[in-house]
Amino acid sequence: MKIGIVGGGGRMGQMLIRQVARTDGATLAGVTDRDGAPALGQDAGLLAGLGPLGVPVTADPVALFAAADAVIDFTSPAATPLHAKLAAEHQTALIVGTTGLDEAAEEALAVAALSTPILQAPNMSLGVVLLSALVERVARSLDIDWDIEIVEMHHRHKVDAPSGTALALGQAAARGRNVDLADQSVRSRDGFTGPRTPGTIGFATLRGGDVIGDHTVTFAGQGERIELSHKAQSRDIFAAGAVRAALWCSGRSPGRYTMTDVLGLDQ
């Protein structure tokens, strides 16, 4: 499968280059970066710390989508609408790991999914996908006497909060309880807040150092607690999951997909 990477000059982009290069059944179709980026013109393999791959980094996403069977995007929300449009035009599968998407970006993905497979996940880690499934199951099994709190911590440079993964875990808990997360979530607490409202789903955000990503969902009952946690120790897990998702998209019909589909957890 010919896999393209946008944003190849970044840390995640370089990890994706390495992951594609070492994955059986995958070949690097092309790599792009933004106009003026230092990576432009470099061999993608050398950029990623490998030997030469004969694939230069360019600023031409149109050519990339035309050449690839699937493109992996971990760039920025502002770039998502263009990538979705190009994916639809060339019927190229698009794997989106970008978080913090606005309504326009989500709509662009929905439109593109009418023409090509769109796989979107706030976290490509297989462990996080399984954690989300467990959270939904536990939430379904317990009543609102069990309070749900989600704590996440990331490195000091992360710009969005709560993390996309924390929000996805909140959505899983809300599905388990058959409620709307928007109506039940508590994003912050400060000052005299009064007692906790039964049935709400709380979020706490920590930022510091070089933490890749820690997430814990706590179900707190009377006299006991259940804690479900995932700690990312290497960003390679996200690259591995994204490439696995790209391979899974081969031959799929147009539509919206998630990592849950990749692992067959809905079957």
Side-chain angles (χ1 to χ4, degrees), residues 40-157:
L40 293 180
Q42 296 187 47
D43 183 281
L46 294 176
L47 176 67
L50 306 172
L53 294 176
V55 178
V57 180
T58 76
D60 188 357
V62 176
L64 176 68
F65 278 84
D69 299 315
V71 170
I72 302 175
D73 180 7
F74 278 82
T75 55
S76 69
T80 301
L82 172 62
H83 296 156
K85 178 176 180 291
L86 292 174
E89 289 177 355
H90 297 281
Q91 295 186 332
T92 303
L94 180 61
I95 290 79
V96 182
T98 307
T99 59
L101 301 185
D102 60 17
E103 187 174 338
E106 292 287 358
E107 177 62 24
L109 292 174
V111 171
L114 300 175
S115 304
T116 195
I118 301 293
L119 193 149
Q120 182 184 6
N123 192 311
M124 297 286 177
S125 158
L126 303 184
V128 166
V129 178
L130 291 171
L131 173 62
S132 181
L134 289 171
V135 167
E136 181 174 349
R137 181 171 182 178
V138 173
R140 183 177 296 116
S141 300
L142 302 175
D143 59 31
I144 63 171
D145 287 337
W146 291 75
D147 300 320
I148 303 177
E149 292 288 324
I150 300 170
V151 179
E152 59 99 343
M153 183 171 186
H154 284 82
H155 53 87
R156 63 174 63 133
H157 301 294

Side-chain angles (χ1 to χ4, degrees), residues 139 143-150 170 173-174 177 179-189 193-203 217-220:
D143 59 31
I144 63 171
D145 287 337
W146 291 75
D147 300 320
I148 303 177
E149 292 288 324
I150 300 170
R177 285 193 167 170
V179 297
D180 186 341
L181 180 62
D183 295 334
Q184 298 296 325
S185 67
V186 176
R187 300 292 185 87
S188 64
R189 298 185 178 100
T193 62
R196 192 183 195 283
T197 302
T200 54
I201 298 172
F203 291 84
V217 182
T218 298
F219 296 84

Side-chain angles (χ1 to χ4, degrees), residues 5 8 13-21 28 31 44 48 50 53:
I5 297 166
Q14 293 176 41
M15 290 182 182
L16 288 165
I17 293 170
R18 292 193 291 270
Q19 186 65 38
V20 170
L28 193 62
V31 179
L50 306 172
L53 294 176

